[in-house]
Amino acid sequence: MDSGVAAAVALLTLGGCANAIEGRAEPILGSQSKVKGPPDRDGEAVLNALRMLDPCALLDGPGMAAAGLPGNAHPISRGPHSCSFSADRILDATVDVLVGEKTEYGNKYHELPVTIAGAKAYLDDRSLGGHQDCDVDIPVSFVMSVSVRYQPAYGSNANACNQVKLAAAGVIAKLGNPDAATMPASRPLGGWDGCSLLTAALPDLDPKKTTLDFYSAQSPYDSCSARQDDGNGKSSDLGDVEIKYDSDPLSGANRTPKQVGDKTANVSDMSTSCYVEWGLGPSGSADKLYDTVVVEVKLKGCDKATALAVKIQKALAGQAPSNAKPQRPLLYKPDEPDTAAVGACIDFSQNDGNCAPYQPFTLPASFDAWFPSTDTQPAIGCALAVDAVKEVFGDAYKPVVWGQHCFFVEPTHAMTITIDLATVYAPAKYGAREDLYSNVQTVTVSGKQAKSFTNTVHSGKPGEAPYNEYDIYVSPHNDINQPGMIAGLIQASPPRGSNEDAVADVTKLHDLDKVMAKIIADHVK
């Protein structure tokens, strides 16, 4: 919306328009109380539990057969916490099990919630252009999961999302008793995860200024990237590390062997980063492409990268992290919260702690009694629109307050409605940029002058409409050039869980006209 999204405002105590109590301040019309979300699981306990899991033990023979894998499929270790199940990763159907995938709120917002074998999970259809590719993320905390990925055999017409759910059912059955799928002591570097290794090598990191992230696509939990905030809005790169099972880094062409600490490493100085890789012996993997335990360090500048590599070597020579008090249970029940969102905020795209479910209150009958408060109390927009949205779009749409806006959200995330009000902005100034907006019109809504327009979509997907957003800015004063507006915006998106080819359904966007007509007719005299 080209009015912009203002910074989140402090939420006040619920007041409505009740009478003031003697000795207390007059309640503020439309103020909303802060709502605290559920707590996450203990982070250390979750990391300990994940570190103990053997990914190759999470899918057994019957589970592989149920997922449609060929009879000669076998587990292939690709890292301490990553395993592939396949006969041939190029030609045959493949299931990858990744322990310790980072699955944050944004992932869960876009993926489809499903219940598999009695546990909460999320389906991510990444199919594109006829290529089948589908994942299931099984949450174990607000930000971590065990991920199951499925790719059909070359040339197969198998439905990847159906097959990955069958594979995930087998993995979930094992996660229900994680002590039966623990990492064998013989697994090379199985006692480490990437961020424990990096923090052991850099023990002086300031936890208040340092961000640690699992990043690898092959084996996220076996990798870690560290960034440090300098306090002025800039961050510095402290280095990346990854443990992986790969081919010998010193074999092949274009190698640059160099003594780094007590290892001979391949050192590659690229334009943006220097890569230092060394082998630690056989991985025990059944595939020659993954037969060597490899540690890779990445950092800008080879002097810094090799210095970090030496610190990593020293950390690996020390004690691996303790796995005391692992999280139990690991799985979430279908109705158990796995995000900090409260109420309808679970269907709002932002999860910064500032979304709150709308708490109903009664508006004064007089327009002049409530309109001046709209600049500071966005919940007034919810109060204005709640009946109209329910009448036009149904019960699925629930109001939430975030920043300076009221949003109506629903579980499929296919459409979001925004209601904005302001006394200081004139409707005429919106939708003016021809490169961003189309179908600009001056219209009448319940007797009041308004401006309506759509956005312009430039991606050009086959079957995609030229817009996915519709706006109506109504002047309660019947003059779009005069400051003051009641604005509605509706945006369509492919429903959560859709594949990469999906386009938004825009057929109901103009039903916003009915919502705005009812709002103006009921509340603006």
Side-chain angles (χ1 to χ4, degrees), residues 69-423:
L69 295 174
N72 60 340
H74 52 274
I76 303 167
S77 297
R78 303 175 67 203
H81 296 94
S82 170
C83 195
S84 289
F85 297 82
S86 181
D88 185 320
R89 282 186 55 82
I90 297 175
L91 298 176
D92 289 317
T94 299
V95 173
D96 292 334
V97 177
L98 286 71
V99 168
E101 178 73 282
K102 191 174 181 181
T103 306
E104 298 182 292
Y105 182 87
N107 304 90
K108 295 174 182 178
Y109 179 82
H110 290 289
E111 296 173 5
L112 182 67
V114 291
T115 298
I116 300 177
K120 177 175 284 190
Y122 294 85
L123 187 69
D124 184 14
D125 187 350
R126 301 190 298 162
S127 302
L128 177 64
H131 174 71
Q132 294 282 312
D133 192 350
C134 204
D135 303 352
V136 166
D137 291 325
I138 306 162
V140 296
S141 77
F142 285 7
V143 295
M144 300 297 292
S145 69
V146 174
S147 185
V148 185
R149 300 176 180 175
Y150 186 90
Q151 292 189 9
Y154 180 77
S156 170
N157 292 321
N159 186 306
C161 288
N162 287 342
Q163 298 304 116
V164 77
K165 286 189 285 186
L166 294 171
V171 172
I172 287 170
K174 293 297 187 70
L175 290 173
N177 181 21
D179 292 327
T182 55
M183 180 74 68
S186 59
R187 183 68 52 80
L189 301 190
W192 287 96
D193 64 89
C195 287
S196 292
L197 177 55
L198 194 54
T199 53
L202 301 172
D204 296 327
L205 293 177
D206 184 344
K208 295 181 180 180
K209 297 181 178 180
T210 305
T211 301
L212 299 173
D213 281 315
F214 302 110
Y215 69 88
S216 170
Q218 174 174 305
S219 187
Y221 194 54
D222 299 321
S223 68
C224 193
S225 175
R227 303 288 182 270
Q228 189 171 59
D229 185 356
D230 66 358
N232 297 311
K234 295 183 179 180
S235 63
S236 56
D237 184 5
L238 301 180
D240 299 358
V241 66
E242 181 176 5
I243 303 166
K244 54 187 176 180
Y245 297 166
D246 207 339
S247 56
D248 185 349
L250 297 177
S251 64
N254 301 318
R255 302 293 162 172
T256 310
K258 182 178 179 180
Q259 191 68 25
V260 177
D262 60 358
K263 307 295 180 184
T264 303
N266 180 55
V267 180
S268 302
D269 192 2
M270 304 298 185
S271 58
T272 57
S273 296
C274 182
Y275 294 78
V276 181
E277 291 183 290
W278 66 95
L280 292 177
S283 68
S285 178
D287 192 307
K288 64 180 181 180
L289 295 176
Y290 313 104
D291 63 1
T292 303
V293 181
V294 176
V295 182
E296 177 185 272
V297 167
K298 181 177 70 172
L299 187 59
K300 186 173 179 61
C302 285
D303 289 344
K304 292 181 179 179
T306 54
L308 177 58
V310 172
K311 293 178 180 179
I312 292 291
Q313 292 172 7
K314 291 179 179 178
L316 286 172
Q319 188 70 31
S322 167
N323 293 327
K325 298 181 180 180
Q327 168 66 37
R328 297 291 186 266
L330 272 179
L331 299 170
Y332 281 94
K333 297 176 182 178
D335 59 350
E336 191 176 359
D338 66 322
T339 75
V342 179
C345 288
I346 196 170
D347 292 311
F348 182 60
S349 60
Q350 301 296 319
N351 186 43
D352 58 4
N354 292 308
C355 178
Y358 165 64
Q359 300 154 34
F361 62 96
T362 303
L363 279 175
S366 168
F367 170 81
D368 292 332
W370 58 260
F371 189 63
S373 301
T374 59
D375 291 328
T376 58
Q377 298 303 320
I380 291 175
C382 297
L384 283 175
V386 65
D387 291 338
V389 170
K390 181 177 180 180
E391 179 180 305
V392 175
F393 287 99
D395 292 333
Y397 286 80
K398 306 295 183 185
V400 301
V401 177
W402 182 83
Q404 293 290 83
H405 312 274
C406 171
F407 296 88
F408 286 83
V409 297
E410 51 82 36
T412 73
H413 306 171
M415 285 197 302
T416 302
I417 301 166
T418 309
I419 304 296
D420 273 347
L421 302 97
T423 65

Side-chain angles (χ1 to χ4, degrees), residues 19-27:
N19 294 328
I21 299 174
E22 186 176 356
R24 298 185 185 179
E26 182 74 21

Side-chain angles (χ1 to χ4, degrees), residues 450-463:
K451 190 173 185 181
S452 69
F453 50 90
T454 62
N455 71 332
T456 302
V457 171
H458 297 285
S459 62
K461 284 184 178 180

